[in-house]
Structure formats: C-alpha cells, structure tokens
Amino acid sequence: MNAVVSWLEHRQIGLYLVAILVAGVVGLTVPGAHHLEGAIEPVLALLLFATFLGVPFAAIGRSLRDGRFLAAVGVLNFVVVPVIAYGLSRFVADEPALLFGVLLVLLTPCIDYVIVFAGLAGGASERLLAAAPLLMLAQILLLPLYLLLFIGPEGVAVVEVGPFARAFLLLIVVPLAAAALVQALARRQRTGVVIERTMLSLMVPLMVATLFTVVASQAGAVGDSLGQLLVLVPIYAAFLVAMAALGIGVGRIFRLDVPATRALVFSGATRNSLVVLPLALALPASLSIAPVVVVTQTLVELIGMVIFVRLVPRLVASQRARIEPEDVKLVSR
C-alpha cells in the first residue's frame, strides 16, 4: 500500500494533467456528461475532508493569530485583485453577460481546493485553512459593493447570500468538523487512526476525481459557446500571471516566510468558481451565458494550478535567494 501511495505522489502532476485531458474529451463527446455536475460538491467535500485531516488543528489555532498573513491575504484579495479584475474586465465591457461573469468569478477568492494546491506546492495550507472563514465572510460583504462600483445597481440586485452560505457549510464546516472528530478519535482509538491514514493515502486519487468531475461536467457547456468564450481565455490566463507576480510582491512587502508567500500566491490566483456557479445559474435570461463564463475560468484555472504547483516553489525560492545576500550586506553595513 505504501508503495502505491508513493508512486501516486511522485506522479501526481502528470496524473492531474491526464485527468483534465481525459475529462475534456469525455465532456465533449459523451452525452449526459453534464450530469456529473451533481457529483462536484460530494467529491470536493471528500477531498477537503482528507486535506483537513492532514492539518493539525493546533496549527490552525496558531494561524488565526497570524495577523500579518491574514492582513496580506486581505490586501491581496480585496485591494489588489479588484483593481486587476476591473482592468481585465474592460476587454469585455461591451458584453454585459461576459462582463458580469468575469467580475463575479474574479472578485471572489477561493476557499476550498486552494488549500490542496497550496499544500502541494509547499505552501502554508494550515494558514489558508484558518483564513477561509474570513475570506468567505469578506467576499459576501464586499462582492455587492464591487459590483455596484463596476457595473451599477443592476449588478447588486442579482447577488444572493444563499449559494455562498450553502457552499461554506458543505465545503468548509462539515468536512472541517468531521476531520476534527476523526483526529480526536485517533488519539483514543485505532479506528480513528485507520480512517485518518486511509483518507490521507487517497489524496491523489481524490484530486484526480475532483479534476475529472469538474472538467467533464462543464466541458460540453464551454464547447457549445466556444466562439463567444475564446476572448476569455487570455483574460483568465493574464489574471493568473499577474497574481503570481503580485502575490510574491505582497508577500515581500509583508515580510512573509516562504511557505506563507507560496500560500498567498495561490490565494490570490485561485477563484471561488465552484461556489459562485450556482449563483450564476440563477441569473436572469439576459445573463444566461454567465455560468459558462464562470466555468471557463474554472477550466483555465485548473490547468494553471497544475502548472503553479511546479512553478511557484521555484519562483518564490528564487526570489528569496536573490534578496537574501543583499539583506546580509545591508545588515553587515
């Protein structure tokens, strides 16, 4: 069993890319593949349950007192990101449905699989986990304000709290509470240890399943509107590139350590597409293409995250390596 887990971990990036490619083919060619949409939340909840099991809850408590990291996450997601999102959205400003979808997804920071991807890149996943409730609350409060500024009153009128609250309960509260119970059980009984080890060994398969389910269920919708959506790909790709650079910059300004800076980059780059998708689906007919706009961001982001897992550790480490000698010289003077 250990050999299988080790094999999966060493080949996980390749497996994720294969999952995305196969899912894309399935989503475009298999009738009814869109029905897999109903499995997204259960699979993602299982993945997050396994992720939370791997994070000591004492570390989460310490992270809640890490004001510097929480401030950096807040500044990046609610000061820097809105400026970038507004600038990029100007390319589709003449298309109301595209504009609304782009702003809806880019203005909402991810609270779920960002924890997994950041952990894979050596980021401080426990700090992101501690920040998740604050990020969720802040985006509920600030999203209507930003839509009012960027679109007008009609943008605020369609925002509902319900989908956000439901996603927070199902994807954060329930898996987190279950993980806490299992960790407590593991300290007293072998059953808890078995559950903990089993779920941790399934991390890679669960990530593969999540990527496959999301992409396969949404690829058909993207394919049907491909002509209108092509303009969005460079916008979403540019967002990822910009947030990689800006995340590192904000991390340096706040003097974060390497794991925290890596986590910060992922927090700025990943968006809450799976949470806002139900909101987009509930929009009026005049904005009927908005859900596909959100889905397109999901597909671009998933490919970007697979790249980020390899790229971010090199970028952050190389930045640190370049500035440390100068820091030593300044101190010596």
Side-chain angles (χ1 to χ4, degrees), residues 29-235:
T29 60
V30 176
H34 64 280
H35 292 304
L36 285 170
E37 184 175 292
I40 291 176
E41 285 186 344
V43 173
L44 186 56
L46 277 175
L47 174 65
L48 291 169
F49 170 55
T51 301
F52 298 160
L53 278 175
V55 178
F57 279 77
I60 298 174
R62 290 193 298 271
S63 296
L64 279 173
R65 297 189 294 271
D66 187 358
R68 184 184 297 178
F69 177 75
L70 294 178
V73 169
V75 168
L76 183 64
N77 280 292
F78 300 114
V79 178
V80 177
V81 166
V83 174
I84 301 302
Y86 178 78
L88 291 174
S89 70
R90 297 307 88 195
F91 291 99
V92 291
D94 294 333
E95 299 284 344
L98 296 184
L99 175 64
F100 190 93
V102 167
L103 289 173
L104 182 66
V105 70
L106 291 187
L107 290 171
T108 49
C110 185
I111 59 163
D112 38 61
Y113 61 51
V114 60
I115 300 166
V116 180
F117 282 116
L120 290 173
S125 56
E126 73 283 354
R127 294 180 177 181
L128 284 179
L129 177 55
L134 301 178
L135 283 174
M136 196 70 207
L137 177 61
Q139 64 188 270
I140 291 173
L141 296 174
L142 293 176
L143 179 61
L145 174 61
Y146 286 128
L147 291 178
L148 178 64
L149 290 173
F150 298 162
I151 298 178
E154 65 276 13
V156 180
V158 296
V159 176
E160 300 175 4
V161 175
F164 288 91
R166 181 176 181 276
F168 179 66
L169 177 65
L170 293 180
L171 300 180
I172 296 295
V173 175
V174 172
L176 187 59
L181 289 173
V182 170
Q183 285 190 8
L185 182 64
R187 290 193 291 269
R188 296 175 177 84
Q189 297 184 23
R190 178 166 174 75
T191 303
V193 176
V194 171
I195 295 173
E196 196 171 52
R197 289 178 179 174
T198 301
M199 292 305 300
L200 289 175
S201 69
L202 291 174
M203 279 291 294
V204 175
L206 284 171
M207 178 61 85
V208 169
T210 301
L211 293 174
F212 178 86
T213 303
V214 172
V215 176
S217 66
Q218 306 302 323
V222 173
D224 291 340
S225 305
L226 190 59
Q228 292 176 273
L229 300 174
L230 284 177
V231 67
L232 300 177
V233 175
I235 291 175

Side-chain angles (χ1 to χ4, degrees), residues 76-77 110 113-123 128 243-244 247 260-271 301 304-313:
L76 183 64
N77 280 292
C110 185
Y113 61 51
V114 60
I115 300 166
V116 180
F117 282 116
L120 290 173
L128 284 179
M243 295 318 301
T261 301
R262 291 176 182 175
L264 183 65
V265 171
F266 277 88
S267 179
T270 55
R271 303 290 88 193
E301 179 177 278
M305 287 305 99
V306 172
I307 297 171
F308 267 42
V309 167
R310 286 285 181 88
L311 185 62
V312 169

